[in-house]
Amino acid sequence: MSKFAYIENERPVLSAKLRGTDGYENVVGEVLVHKLENGLCLCASFSGLPASQALPFHIHEGTSCENAGGHLLELPDIMSDRNGEAYAHYCFDRLNLSEISEHAIMLHVRKNGEEPAIACGVLKHVL
């Protein structure tokens, strides 16, 4: 049984495969977005992360990892465990699917007062 068993039988409407950036090549992640009766639920899972850290997580204005632009939606930080894994889910009752579809989603690390991206993907429609 996965961390998201409560929603496993619901088909996602958006998904993103996140890949690690330079220096974080071992980071991999998946984000699934499910449409619920009263909003959206975003489920994320990651491995290969820096251990035991709070990592900023955002949906960006841009539609590619190369041109992500500013933050469209700031999600709560994701906390990695001592094995460098993390699981999170967020539900929104006032978020429309069209607002986030085809946008870049990034995981960051706090480093020297900055937040460089450590993984990125694009939320695509599931066919």
Side-chain angles (χ1 to χ4, degrees), residues 41-120:
C41 187
L42 184 146
C43 301
S45 61
F46 290 94
S47 63
L49 299 171
S52 303
Q53 289 190 30
L55 304 166
F57 193 36
H58 310 111
I59 297 176
H60 285 256
E61 295 171 345
T63 57
S64 73
C65 292
E66 295 76 22
N67 296 306
H71 299 163
L72 178 67
L73 179 62
E74 293 193 24
L75 302 165
D77 288 358
I78 287 184
M79 185 67 192
S80 62
D81 65 16
R82 65 179 178 205
N83 298 316
E85 295 180 351
Y87 305 93
H89 69 275
Y90 313 98
C91 292
F92 305 94
D93 61 356
R94 292 191 175 111
L95 184 62
N96 189 305
L97 193 61
S98 63
E99 294 177 84
I100 62 171
S101 177
E102 304 298 323
H103 286 271
I105 185 165
M106 289 188 172
L107 189 64
H108 301 266
V109 66
R110 289 184 178 94
K111 189 175 187 178
N112 300 325
E114 296 184 4
E115 292 184 358
I118 62 172
C120 183

Side-chain angles (χ1 to χ4, degrees), residues 18-20 24-30 45-49 119:
L18 284 81
R19 303 283 180 238
Y24 296 94
E25 290 83 2
N26 292 333
V27 175
V28 294
E30 181 178 39
S45 61
F46 290 94
S47 63
L49 299 171

